[in-house]
Amino acid sequence: MSKRLVRISAKDIYSSLERLLKTEINAITDNGNTHFGKLESFTKENLLIRDTRNHAHHLPLLSLYEIVYDASSK
């Protein structure tokens, strides 16, 4: 079975975060770094992703290029 990846561009990220809570996402920053984990919480300035080693990553929304997630995992 194939996966369906959904990309959310920087301008649409904040409005999409509510429905992505507790979903595994890839957050790609402007400099090309990728952070993978479950979206735990967010504010207008930051989001909190917890990776598979249970480490928290606080990412500023302004530094994000896009968010990618698997639609079948929702």
Side-chain angles (χ1 to χ4, degrees):
M1 180 167 36
S2 66
K3 293 186 175 187
R4 178 163 179 166
L5 297 180
V6 178
R7 295 178 179 271
I8 302 170
S9 64
K11 65 180 177 63
D12 300 323
I13 288 176
Y14 184 74
S15 62
S16 303
L17 290 176
E18 184 68 40
R19 65 183 166 90
L20 293 176
L21 282 172
K22 306 298 179 199
T23 302
E24 290 183 339
I25 64 170
N26 289 285
I28 297 95
T29 61
D30 287 332
N31 65 6
N33 289 340
T34 300
H35 298 274
F36 173 77
K38 283 191 177 181
L39 178 61
E40 287 206 346
S41 64
F42 65 93
T43 65
K44 288 187 177 186
E45 293 85 25
N46 298 298
L47 56 84
L48 172 64
I49 296 175
R50 190 158 305 269
D51 66 21
T52 55
R53 296 180 301 166
N54 208 28
H55 293 157
H57 299 274
H58 297 271
L59 303 173
L61 288 180
L62 291 176
S63 73
L64 295 179
Y65 175 71
E66 69 180 350
I67 288 180
V68 179
Y69 70 96
D70 179 2
S72 63
S73 69
K74 285 194 59 72

